[in-house]
Each structure stands twice: as C-alpha cells, then as structure tokens.
Amino acid sequence: MELRAYDPGRDAVGLWECKRAFERGLGANTGGEEKEAAYEGKLTDAYRERYLDWVDRCVADDSDCVVVADDGDGVVGYAFVLPERLSMIWDAAVLNEIYVAPEHRGTGVADDLIEAVIATARGQDLPLDRIVLDVDPKNDRAGAFYDRYGFEQWGEMVARDL
C-alpha cells in the first residue's frame, strides 16, 4: 500500500469514488431514509466538480493536506486535513474527512492515514495545538477508531436547515 500526497492529475477519479462512498456511508449508516436521500441527492456532477476544485485549491495551499492510500490499482482511501490558512475556523487543525474502502478496513490503512494527518497538523501554526473533527455519534466504528488515537469529546455541533 502506497501512502502519498494527492495528485489531482492522477488521483481525482479515485478520490471522487472514495468521497462518494464516504458520503453514501454517512447517509445510509447514521440516519434514516431522509438523511440517506439527502446525502445521495447532493452527489451530482456539479457537486463533484465543485468538491474537486475545492480540494485542488486546498492542495495548492498545502500539498500534504490530502493524503491518498493507493493499493496499486488505484485510490482505496484518503484523509483530508484542512490547510493551515483555515485553522481559524476552529482555532485548531481540522480533520475534514478520512475514508477507507470496506475491503481495506482492518488492514492498518486508516492508522497510516490518521498518522499522516496528525503529522501534517503538527506542522501547522495553529491557535490551539489540537486537531478537531465532527463524528456522528451513531458511527460507533469511527468513534472507537478516534478513541484509540486519544480523541476526546470537545463540545457538540448543532445545526439547522437554512
């Protein structure tokens, strides 16, 4: 398994496939039919283009902010920590996303990705020396993973429809 910085020319298709699976998993596994439909509904061509453009802008700021896991046949996982210039959002490093394809879970890929993200975050000039992320409380697998790495509850996010 090769872990490396995301290369837009080489990895965009694989990253998008993983991102789409990430979003579908969130919708299907952490809510009811309404949440699943909402997450599925946003995965349009326009969203794909917008997401990949945003990733490209983030990578232009910090080439290490998106790391991919490549099994030789393509991207099977990724981790995305926001670039340092966005650290003021939470006064900390922000782990935006981490995903590993189901067939590669339990193989250490997620461990390698989180360690890469933490190393990137440690290199950032942050208001607070911490990394934060949003984890759905219904996602027990993710919760257990982050517990192993010493993540602790740090407030709660609330939301409302616009």
Side-chain angles (χ1 to χ4, degrees), residues 90 134 155-160:
W90 290 102
D134 177 28
E156 277 199 42
M157 186 174 274
V158 296
R160 61 159 276 175

Side-chain angles (χ1 to χ4, degrees), residues 7-8 22 36 39 43 46-47 49 65 72-73 83 102 135 139 145 153:
D7 175 347
F22 171 82
E36 184 175 6
Y39 275 71
L43 296 174
Y47 180 87
E49 288 177 29
C65 74
D73 290 325
V135 180
N139 191 339
F145 175 75
Q153 208 54 42

Side-chain angles (χ1 to χ4, degrees), residues 22-61:
F22 171 82
E23 295 289 343
R24 285 180 169 152
L26 283 176
N29 300 321
T30 63
E33 290 178 15
E34 186 176 326
K35 185 175 181 181
E36 184 175 6
Y39 275 71
E40 182 66 36
K42 77 177 187 178
L43 296 174
T44 64
D45 288 341
Y47 180 87
R48 177 183 47 78
E49 288 177 29
R50 191 172 171 197
Y51 175 78
L52 291 173
D53 286 346
W54 181 63
V55 169
D56 290 350
R57 288 191 308 275
C58 289
V59 169
D61 280 355

